[in-house]
Amino acid sequence: NHLAAMPGINLYAHLAHPQKNLGDAPFLPLVRGRYVNQFILGPAFAERLADWQRIAVGKGLKLTAHPDLACTQATAGDRELTLIGHVLDPLAPDATNDDILRTLLHRFTSREALIAATDRFGGRWLLVATSAEESFLFHDALGLRQAFYTDPVVTGAMWVMSQAGIASEMLSLTPDDLALGYLDTQTFRR
């Protein structure tokens, strides 16, 4: 049971520090093909990734995903689920991502209920859930589809991405001096 260990990331934290210009995200140029099957989620699409998928998520979130990355959405009223990757149900091996999402929508009465409903699922996935009350995300029990996020105080908004390098490269972020100091210790090198 990964419920206790996975409370989810609050995706509306960026609303406390709104970004002035939500047009083009402040990205640097990318090397083509470097981030195969990766994604970035935030208050704006990554305009310089012109050939990537663009998916509106919840209240003002924008998902920019590599063309080969499986992304599936299901909506019912004010509830929406966006799946990044592939989810597998051992009790229904023929179920598609869409089938599983539609089943999960019926179980999405609260954050806890939704997370608990994914206990038996395998695969490599990240699920973004939005409702009238909140928006959050969590990943598969093994964390195979990772999610890194930025501090809205530093970047002006919360950005979530599949590789930390995407944040560093595309948002022009530099490593923290304390982190660099820790990387140079015997404790870290062991």
Side-chain angles (χ1 to χ4, degrees):
N1 182 345
H2 62 282
L3 178 59
M6 288 294 307
I9 299 170
N10 177 6
L11 294 175
Y12 287 147
H14 73 278
L15 295 178
H17 306 281
Q19 192 173 357
K20 300 274 189 275
N21 177 7
L22 294 181
D24 189 11
F27 299 130
L28 296 175
L30 278 180
V31 176
R32 186 177 257 314
R34 182 167 182 179
Y35 294 111
V36 175
N37 285 329
Q38 304 305 312
F39 71 89
I40 186 162
L41 175 72
F45 291 120
E47 294 301 328
R48 291 189 178 100
L49 298 173
D51 56 344
W52 284 30
Q53 302 175 70
R54 285 172 171 61
I55 303 166
V57 177
K59 300 176 192 171
L61 296 171
K62 311 292 186 203
L63 173 63
T64 307
H66 187 272
D68 295 336
L69 182 58
C71 296
T72 309
Q73 273 188 319
T75 305
D78 66 351
R79 294 171 296 129
E80 178 183 273
L81 297 176
T82 303
L83 176 69
I84 302 171
H86 293 284
V87 62
L88 305 170
D89 185 346
L91 301 181
D94 293 332
T96 65
N97 287 337
D98 190 59
D99 296 336
I100 294 169
L101 271 191
R102 295 202 181 287
T103 300
L104 284 174
L105 264 175
H106 297 293
R107 304 280 306 272
F108 181 18
T109 56
S110 69
R111 179 188 299 218
E112 294 77 18
L114 179 61
I115 293 172
T118 66
D119 275 353
R120 73 174 186 256
F121 296 147
R124 185 173 180 232
W125 52 267
L126 186 129
L127 189 61
V128 181
T130 62
S131 68
E133 296 80 34
E134 64 178 340
S135 180
F136 60 96
L137 65 82
F138 61 100
H139 53 70
D140 59 86
L142 295 177
L144 298 176
R145 174 73 57 195
Q146 296 180 345
F148 298 88
Y149 60 95
T150 63
D151 181 347
V153 174
V154 174
T155 58
M158 179 174 285
W159 292 90
V160 180
M161 66 287 310
S162 51
Q163 288 185 9
I166 293 175
S168 173
E169 188 173 324
M170 294 177 33
L171 297 174
S172 303
L173 299 177
T174 57
D176 182 79
D177 288 336
L178 289 174
L180 289 175
Y182 179 72
L183 292 175
D184 196 33
T185 64
Q186 287 288 41
T187 303
F188 181 78
R189 290 184 197 162
R190 284 186 220 179

